[in-house]
Amino acid sequence: MLSILRSLGFAALANVASLGLAAALLDGFCVRLGGLLVAVLVFTVLAVALRRATAVLAPRLARPSAVLGGLVLTAVALVLTDALVPGDGFELHGPVAWVVTVLLVWAAGVAYGEVDTQAPAEVPPVGP
């Protein structure tokens, strides 16, 4: 349980950093502090849920399509986040803002995945 909470904490930190950076850099991304916090919470839950659902529903596709799948899942989670978070606190406008935000958030997720590499205790060790 502690590893799951730690993993979610790392994911939330990566998401707040990447969404905050995107909002600071892009004119088409308007966010307020309250909206950012709600968006990070919603996005983190959606991203983790979508990732797990994809791994369960299409395990053979998880590895070969990791890059493309990660980009698609990030975009879907951002679209859902944009729809669920009140408009005055989190708004993405224009294709450039959307594309750059997806790429930044996806890259942060890849970096987070490199940091959060510890498997849960119930996973057997690999190797001799």
Side-chain angles (χ1 to χ4, degrees):
M1 180 65 161
L2 185 59
S3 68
I4 291 171
L5 292 176
R6 190 189 82 183
S7 183
L8 284 172
F10 278 133
L13 286 173
N15 292 333
V16 77
S18 60
L19 288 170
L21 179 63
L25 294 176
L26 301 169
D27 289 334
F29 191 171
C30 303
V31 68
R32 294 185 183 166
L33 181 59
L36 179 63
L37 297 178
V38 172
V40 165
L41 176 66
V42 170
F43 179 81
T44 300
V45 169
L46 287 171
V48 169
L50 288 170
R51 234 178 266 129
R52 288 185 187 244
T54 301
V56 169
L57 296 174
R60 290 184 290 144
L61 299 177
R63 287 286 183 201
S65 63
V67 172
L68 183 59
L71 286 167
V72 169
L73 289 177
T74 300
V76 169
L78 275 173
V79 166
L80 292 172
T81 300
D82 191 47
L84 294 171
V85 176
D88 61 341
F90 184 88
E91 296 179 89
L92 276 162
H93 300 287
V96 172
W98 275 98
V99 169
V100 173
T101 301
V102 167
L103 290 173
L104 280 172
V105 173
W106 170 79
V110 170
Y112 144 74
E114 292 299 317
V115 172
D116 187 36
T117 57
Q118 184 176 349
E122 63 271 7
V123 175
V126 177

